[in-house]
Amino acid sequence: MSDMKIEDYLAQGGKLSNPSNVPARYRAELMRLMATFVDSELAGAAGFADVINAGPGIKERIAAAKIVLEKTDNADKVLTIMGDFGANTAKYATHHPWTDRLARDADIGTARNDADMRLAVFNYPLEGWADAVVMNLLMGLAVGVQLDEFARVSYAPLADAFRAIAPVEARHAELATEGLERLDDAPLQASVDYWWPRVAASFGKDISTRASQLQAFGLRHSTNAELREEWEATAAQALENLGLNAPKG
Amino acid sequence: MARFHNLTVTDIHKTIRDAVVVTLKPDDASAFDFTQGQYLTFRRNFDGEELRRSYSICAGKDEGILQVGIKRVDEGAFSTWANTELQEGDTIEAMEPMGSFFLPLDAGATRNYLGFAGGSGITPVLSIIKTTLAREPHSQFTLVYANKAVNTIMFREELEDLKNHFMGRFNVIHILESDAQEIDLFTGLVDEAKCAQLFKHWIDIKSVDTAFICGPEPMMLGIAKALRDHGLDDSQIKFELFASAQPGRAKRKASGKAKAATKGTQAVITLDGASRTITMDADTSILDAALANDMDAPFACKAGVCSTCRCKVTSGEVEMVANHALEDYEVEQGYVLSCQSFAITDKVTVDYDQ
């Protein structure tokens, strides 16, 4: 057969398709990437579950419940792939209190908390319905940008999963927009100002120590800064359409 | 988690000189309701050491059998055993079918599929071809099949039969590396340039809905590039790679006498090709010690559940206090979950790169 090393194959854009031949470091980075997604979805769904009953009407509550359901389902799709690598999927889903949040004014930058891999933004608490919908819009658009990127990962089953998840998450951002259009007299700008820098931080630091390795593994293609700038442009436009403003700087 | 089941070999025969087709009857049939293109992972003990190997199912969904193809590879303990010793009536262990090398089928669809297979890479593609042609009566399939020579073509007759059975809907192009053929185009390697030539006159690439590729690494790269250059996007290209390098035979861990570490333990930790020596105490996990020393060690759950932090202990001993993810054979090979592992000897060496 071939004498090509897997690392060279990956560096040239090759795809892997099953756990039997992934290199150890690739496996670890892939697991970390998947855990970040799963933990963020589970923490996001858990946080949103708490605000379902704060919805001002039955349509809003249905939308919120649907988002909780589908984010949990999206977590399951990726967790199943972690299971192919040996993760205990049943224990994983319940081993951790996903509703845990820090204080609203905690300032953790891009840091993760000690016990899970959720993106930093999912460590902040939602404050009521309007705040939750603003967060859902900004983060929903961020997830859209991130899924475009991650649908290109070199582990083909995960790329397939992300391609299936992307339209579901895109719909969540649309639901958020529709929700905000019905909330025009609420003090939304304060929530935008609060969540904007925190969602921006979820793209990671501009200088990442792992970037070159992730690139060589085919697990990343764009830089953190490129993705964040793409989100900033999309989100600023979405806010403008709603009569809101993206914070400066 | 997936677990192993017993299967009985009901038939085994050669398809070419160094490849066998094995028909299996599972004890638990419901666990083996596969999807076309999936694979089975087998395990077997060789000299007290467990080996696991994955082989694709070659049967179609509608054949009512479970069948895999196993090509013998040089120095491959499992494939050699399957080709020389495995017999009808033997019992063998395998996990439930896995893999996502397939596309959901739709009986009403009129699609145009293109498959590329190199050598034994034909096995999952054959399953896909048989199932697709049977279940999508309006769809067409073209297979480009690369082999060294005529006598190394697995399933050659079976493919001819399929051509006759699905007259006009299935086409095979054999590309042979060393045997000259009437048409020059069909001799050589299936690489980017060869694909470009095929797409010029033989294959209407614009009409292709989805392409499946299974073969060795350089072949996959070349074909994928050619497909992208001709307008297919990533969602239209499905890959299956069983590198010739499924991990080799694992070495045994040198066993030493364990004694509790009293003072500090000296730990040598290898990550990304670099080794650092650090001092750690008995109450700190290997993972936390590495993180405290600014090493970017991988982890996710820190609860012994996900296995992201897996590393290999190459000397000294550690105690793993919880393990919900690694299997016995991995532990026997020296793998531990570093978030749950504490040093119990004065010196330990661990490696995240293995």
Side-chain angles (χ1 to χ4, degrees):
Chain A
M1 296 281 275
S2 95
D3 297 325
M4 183 179 258
K5 283 177 64 187
I6 289 271
E7 285 79 1
D8 296 334
Y9 170 71
L10 287 168
Q12 292 175 47
K15 310 279 183 192
L16 297 180
S17 57
N18 61 75
S20 72
N21 47 28
V22 302
R25 291 293 293 128
Y26 180 92
R27 175 190 193 277
E29 292 304 335
L30 180 68
M31 291 294 270
R32 173 143 60 179
L33 192 164
M34 292 193 285
T36 299
F37 180 82
V38 171
D39 293 7
S40 296
E41 289 287 275
L42 289 175
F48 222 65
D50 287 343
V51 299
I52 292 174
N53 285 318
I58 192 156
K59 290 280 183 251
E60 286 84 351
R61 291 177 193 200
I62 290 169
K66 175 181 156 79
I67 287 170
V68 171
L69 167 76
E70 291 176 345
K71 287 202 190 299
T72 309
D73 187 50
N74 290 344
D76 184 47
K77 284 196 174 74
V78 174
L79 185 55
T80 301
I81 299 172
M82 292 180 75
D84 294 344
F85 286 86
N88 185 324
T89 54
K91 271 208 165 60
Y92 193 99
T94 55
H95 82 279
H96 190 67
W98 299 109
T99 46
D100 274 9
R101 291 294 188 274
L102 301 171
R104 180 86 171 173
D105 58 358
D107 185 9
I108 58 171
T110 59
R112 306 290 166 86
N113 74 26
D114 222 18
D116 65 52
M117 289 295 285
R118 72 176 89 166
L119 294 166
V121 63
F122 290 107
N123 282 301
Y124 297 105
L126 302 168
E127 267 186 358
W129 177 258
D131 189 60
V133 182
V134 169
M135 191 278 186
N136 191 36
L137 173 66
L138 294 178
M139 197 58 213
L141 295 172
V143 169
V145 171
Q146 287 157 353
L147 284 175
D148 271 353
E149 163 79 1
F150 289 124
R152 299 162 70 193
V153 295
S154 52
Y155 192 64
L158 184 61
D160 287 344
F162 282 144
R163 275 194 282 271
I165 287 167
V168 178
E169 290 289 334
R171 180 67 191 135
H172 294 176
E174 286 170 16
L175 287 170
T177 305
E178 292 165 20
L180 289 177
E181 283 164 355
R182 287 198 288 272
L183 286 176
D184 46 8
D185 53 346
L188 299 175
Q189 188 62 46
S191 288
V192 171
D193 294 345
Y194 178 80
W195 287 110
W196 182 274
R198 288 165 178 79
V199 173
S202 72
F203 288 91
K205 296 188 176 125
D206 281 2
I207 296 166
S208 159
T209 49
R210 281 201 295 277
S212 61
Q213 169 144 78
L214 291 174
Q215 198 120 30
F217 282 157
L219 293 173
R220 284 296 297 270
H221 297 83
S222 311
T223 65
N224 290 344
E226 284 165 352
L227 296 179
R228 195 192 58 243
E229 282 158 19
E230 189 185 335
W231 167 76
E232 283 168 349
T234 312
Q237 186 60 55
L239 290 173
E240 196 186 310
N241 296 345
L242 290 160
L244 295 162
N245 299 309
K248 292 269 182 303
Chain B
M1 269 198 296
R3 59 185 192 87
F4 282 89
H5 302 263
N6 283 329
L7 303 99
T8 307
V9 176
T10 58
D11 183 67
I12 179 165
H13 65 269
K14 293 232 178 267
T15 164
I16 51 172
R17 195 169 52 84
D18 56 355
V20 285
V21 178
V22 185
T23 308
L24 299 160
K25 187 175 182 305
D27 286 0
D28 177 3
S30 65
F32 286 85
D33 181 21
F34 65 95
T35 305
Q36 69 279 3
Q38 285 192 308
Y39 59 88
L40 300 181
T41 301
F42 297 93
R43 72 172 173 193
R44 187 171 188 275
N45 253 298
F46 289 88
D47 303 328
E49 205 180 309
E50 183 177 315
L51 279 190
R52 295 187 177 197
R53 287 294 179 269
S54 301
Y55 296 100
S56 288
I57 295 166
C58 55
K61 282 290 289 171
D62 300 302
E63 293 182 273
I65 52 168
L66 184 63
Q67 204 170 52
V68 296
I70 302 178
K71 173 127 191 278
R72 194 172 70 79
V73 294
D74 288 343
E75 294 170 41
F78 195 101
S79 65
T80 301
W81 169 77
N83 270 270
T84 54
E85 292 178 47
L86 186 64
Q87 290 184 0
E88 200 179 309
D90 287 354
T91 302
I92 187 167
E93 284 182 288
M95 279 196 272
E96 290 155 28
M98 292 200 281
S100 58
F101 186 51
F102 60 82
L103 204 71
L105 297 176
D106 171 3
T110 304
R111 296 188 184 127
N112 214 339
Y113 297 99
L114 180 57
F116 291 90
S120 59
I122 187 65
T123 44
V125 179
L126 181 62
S127 171
I128 291 167
I129 291 170
K130 287 193 274 200
T131 309
T132 304
L133 291 173
R135 296 200 171 185
E136 283 190 359
H138 306 295
S139 292
Q140 305 220 345
F141 210 112
T142 299
L143 170 67
V144 178
Y145 189 10
N147 280 286
K148 282 228 156 49
V150 172
N151 62 0
T152 66
I153 301 176
M154 287 173 77
F155 302 111
R156 183 155 65 109
E157 286 172 19
E158 199 160 352
L159 289 167
E160 283 305 310
D161 290 346
L162 284 173
K163 245 164 70 176
N164 296 330
H165 188 260
F166 295 104
M167 194 75 77
R169 293 205 291 130
F170 178 50
N171 183 28
V172 191
I173 299 172
H174 287 286
I175 311 277
L176 300 176
E177 193 180 332
S178 49
D179 287 3
Q181 302 203 70
E182 282 170 34
I183 300 172
D184 279 349
L185 180 60
F186 297 161
T187 304
L189 293 171
V190 178
D191 52 16
E192 195 186 331
K194 180 74 75 188
C195 287
Q197 290 171 323
L198 287 169
F199 299 161
K200 214 176 265 173
H201 299 299
W202 290 87
I203 295 167
D204 178 17
I205 190 69
K206 292 209 164 45
S207 73
V208 170
D209 295 288
T210 299
F212 296 90
I213 319 175
C214 185
E217 297 92 329
M219 177 179 155
M220 305 248 289
L221 288 171
I223 294 167
K225 172 131 194 337
L227 290 171
R228 288 193 197 100
D229 288 349
H230 286 78
L232 270 73
D233 67 37
D234 281 352
S235 67
Q236 294 173 285
I237 309 173
K238 302 287 288 180
F239 297 89
E240 184 72 299
L241 174 71
F242 286 106
S244 28
Q246 290 195 44
R249 190 173 279 228
K251 286 177 215 76
R252 293 233 120 205
K253 178 175 78 158
S255 72
K257 272 269 173 281
K259 61 175 195 286
T262 44
K263 316 183 280 294
T265 285
Q266 201 184 61
V268 181
I269 302 177
T270 301
L271 178 72
D272 293 330
S275 296
R276 289 260 312 268
T277 303
I278 62 174
T279 305
M280 55 181 285
D281 62 47
D283 299 326
T284 306
S285 70
I286 301 279
L287 174 67
D288 283 338
L291 296 173
N293 282 274
D294 291 327
M295 297 185 78
D296 197 10
F299 71 96
C301 77
K302 279 197 174 181
V305 173
C306 76
S307 81
T308 304
C309 67
R310 188 181 77 161
C311 69
K312 191 169 187 177
V313 178
T314 54
S315 76
E317 294 213 6
V318 304
E319 183 187 12
M320 182 162 51
V321 295
N323 171 26
H324 304 293
L326 296 180
E327 298 195 44
D328 292 349
Y329 85 104
E330 294 176 289
V331 175
E332 274 168 33
Q333 290 171 4
Y335 286 105
V336 296
L337 299 172
S338 57
C339 73
Q340 301 295 319
S341 294
F342 299 84
I344 52 172
T345 49
D346 296 339
K347 277 184 131 179
V348 294
T349 309
V350 304
D351 190 343
Y352 283 95
D353 294 348
Q354 289 195 43

